[in-house]
């Protein structure tokens, strides 16, 4: 199975600053990668799919890039509601696999 | 309103069975592949199973293959997960989720239920 590794585990950022999150696949997943946001006690929310396509209703401050094995989620200017856990998911191969997540916390 | 609503979770003993259901509304259910994803307490997301819109194609994680069965009733807009031979490591919140694009290979999910907790313990 493809292992998804996210870094860092925790990212401390001040409101208004840029956040850059990384996701690495153990083998190529082409552009078949999604990013989710999850807040405590809530279901995940799809942010990005196809590595760079924003899902419906997702603000433009969220952007995704990368292909193959290296991917990045960028939040251009963190808002208070953006402090959460972010995880990546590959859908190039079965089984579908998720990364362990990056927690974005208030600095 | 577009939503998914899970039910059927609870406390069971190891080796027992449980059936989860997910009621869908607000979209053309039969057009979309659906999945179950679980999250153990304090852990990350783990994909469990997926079923095509017609119900003809299914896939499972190795950890549940042979024990869990995914199914759907398109006449009732409902997704099911039959879980047998439950183990302590199956303890998790189980989410049902809708694929973002109908009839595609884009197996990621843009609509999630609120989750139902399954606890396997003696």
């Amino acid at each position: 199975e493809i292992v998804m590794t996210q870094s860092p585990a925790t990212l401390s950022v001040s409101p208004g600053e840029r956040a850059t999150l990384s996701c690495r696949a153990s083998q190529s997943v082409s552009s078949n990668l999604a990013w989710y946001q999850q807040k405590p006690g809530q279901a995940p929310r799809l942010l990005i799919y196809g590595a760079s396509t924003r899902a419906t209703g997702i603000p433009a401050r969220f952007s995704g890039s990368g292909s193959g094995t290296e991917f990045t989620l960028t939040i251009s200017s963190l808002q208070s509601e953006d402090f959460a856990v972010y995880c990546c998911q590959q859908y190039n191969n079965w089984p579908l696999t998720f990364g362990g997540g990056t927690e974005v916390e208030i600095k | 309103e577009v939503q998914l609503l899970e039910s059927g979770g609870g406390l069971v003993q190891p080796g027992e069975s449980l059936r989860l259901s997910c009621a869908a509304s607000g979209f053309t259910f039969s057009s979309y592949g659906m999945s179950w994803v679980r999250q153990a307490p304090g852990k990350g997301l783990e994909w469990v199973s997926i079923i095509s819109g017609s119900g003809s194609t299914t896939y499972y994680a190795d950890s549940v293959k042979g024990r869990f069965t995914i199914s759907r009733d398109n006449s009732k807009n409902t997704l099911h997960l039959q879980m047998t031979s439950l183990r302590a490591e199956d303890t998790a919140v189980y989410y049902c989720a809708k694929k973002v694009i109908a009839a595609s290979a884009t197996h990621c999910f843009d609509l999630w239920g609120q989750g139902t907790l399954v606890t396997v313990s003696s």
Side-chain angles (χ1 to χ4, degrees), chain A residues 20-93:
Chain A
T20 302
L21 290 67
S22 295
C23 174
R24 174 177 292 177
S26 60
Q27 65 187 75
S28 177
V29 298
S30 187
S31 294
N32 296 315
L33 184 107
W35 288 95
Y36 298 88
Q37 176 194 69
Q38 189 175 25
K39 297 179 180 179
Q42 296 185 16
R45 174 193 182 197
L46 178 66
L47 301 174
I48 300 283
Y49 63 95
S52 61
T53 301
R54 274 190 302 277
T56 301
I58 300 304
R61 64 181 181 273
F62 291 92
S63 63
S65 63
S67 65
T69 62
E70 301 283 343
F71 300 89
T72 300
L73 175 70
T74 301
I75 312 171
S76 60
S77 177
L78 271 157
Q79 306 299 302
S80 57
E81 62 267 29
D82 299 335
F83 292 95
V85 174
Y86 293 83
C87 69
C88 58
Q89 177 225 327
Q90 70 79 21
Y91 51 91
N92 196 66
N93 290 70

